[in-house]
Amino acid sequence: YYEKIFHQVRDPLKTISSFSKYCGHTQLWKMACSVTPGLIPYLIADQQKSTRYRNNFKTCTRFMMYHWLSWNEKIALHADWTYRIENTSTYSICTRAYSNHVNILEKCNSESILNGSAQGVRRNSKQFADRVKLKPLDLYRLDCKLARSVFVAAVSYGYHEYMDKILDC
């Protein structure tokens, strides 16, 4: 259906913690469950608790862990290229996306693209300043097997800093 599929991955701890602002957003989670049906038990558990994250840390964080894992696994099956958003440049994305389109490929050399080429695509956002700072052990305390799966996947996507965070359950 698509000419190329790019799989953009973000650090699991940062992603999971930034999702906290979406706890209780029923429509968003129903859409996510339609794509990854394995989320449904987590959604049900989340709905049985308060929709406020601070009152629902365990179920919501477990829900977000599974979402990060399942979403990335699903996309990885179809991706032509997987990249970490933190260290991939706009120029790199542009040249891969338009490698077969010479007329458009020239635009990858534009000043606006090249100026951002040394930086990763993802920039820090003050929008997530209040998010919960999660550590690997926080995830293991909630669900050891799920946390292990998250860190195994993270390493497979190039987050080698989590290699020593893969624990036995």
Side-chain angles (χ1 to χ4, degrees):
Y1 189 78
Y2 296 100
E3 186 177 326
K4 296 177 186 177
I5 297 174
F6 292 175
H7 176 204
Q8 178 173 286
V9 183
R10 184 170 173 236
D11 180 286
L13 288 180
K14 291 177 182 173
T15 304
I16 291 165
S17 67
S18 68
F19 279 170
S20 64
K21 70 185 252 178
Y22 298 110
C23 287
H25 194 292
T26 306
Q27 289 306 108
L28 176 72
W29 290 119
K30 282 183 179 178
M31 184 278 304
C33 289
S34 73
V35 176
T36 52
L39 281 172
I40 292 170
Y42 297 94
L43 175 65
I44 291 167
D46 187 62
Q47 288 176 332
Q48 291 171 351
K49 304 283 184 174
S50 168
T51 58
R52 298 184 58 87
Y53 185 70
R54 68 175 178 266
N55 298 327
N56 194 14
F57 173 78
K58 289 180 180 179
T59 57
C60 190
T61 301
R62 193 175 292 120
F63 187 45
M64 294 180 285
M65 289 165 58
Y66 184 81
H67 179 61
W68 184 90
L69 181 65
S70 61
W71 183 258
N72 283 301
E73 285 176 344
K74 187 168 215 115
I75 294 170
L77 292 173
H78 306 286
D80 298 302
W81 179 42
T82 297
Y83 63 91
R84 293 174 42 165
I85 193 169
E86 296 90 352
N87 65 356
T88 302
S89 68
T90 307
Y91 176 78
S92 179
I93 295 168
C94 186
T95 56
R96 282 184 185 250
Y98 300 113
S99 61
N100 297 332
H101 303 278
V102 179
N103 295 338
I104 300 172
L105 185 60
E106 293 172 5
K107 294 181 182 187
C108 294
N109 292 318
S110 72
E111 193 170 320
S112 63
I113 298 286
L114 292 174
N115 284 343
S117 68
Q119 299 174 327
V121 175
R122 176 76 180 151
R123 311 289 192 291
N124 287 334
S125 171
K126 294 184 192 277
Q127 183 179 0
F128 297 115
D130 294 333
R131 73 174 174 224
V132 175
K133 302 278 190 210
L134 293 172
K135 296 177 182 168
L137 283 177
D138 295 328
L139 302 189
Y140 278 102
R141 283 185 193 112
L142 292 173
D143 188 325
C144 188
K145 289 180 182 178
L146 184 56
R148 185 178 199 288
S149 296
V150 165
F151 293 117
V152 166
V155 169
S156 77
Y157 299 135
Y159 292 94
H160 300 292
E161 61 269 31
Y162 291 118
M163 183 71 79
D164 63 339
K165 306 301 185 224
I166 299 173
L167 306 177
D168 290 329
C169 297

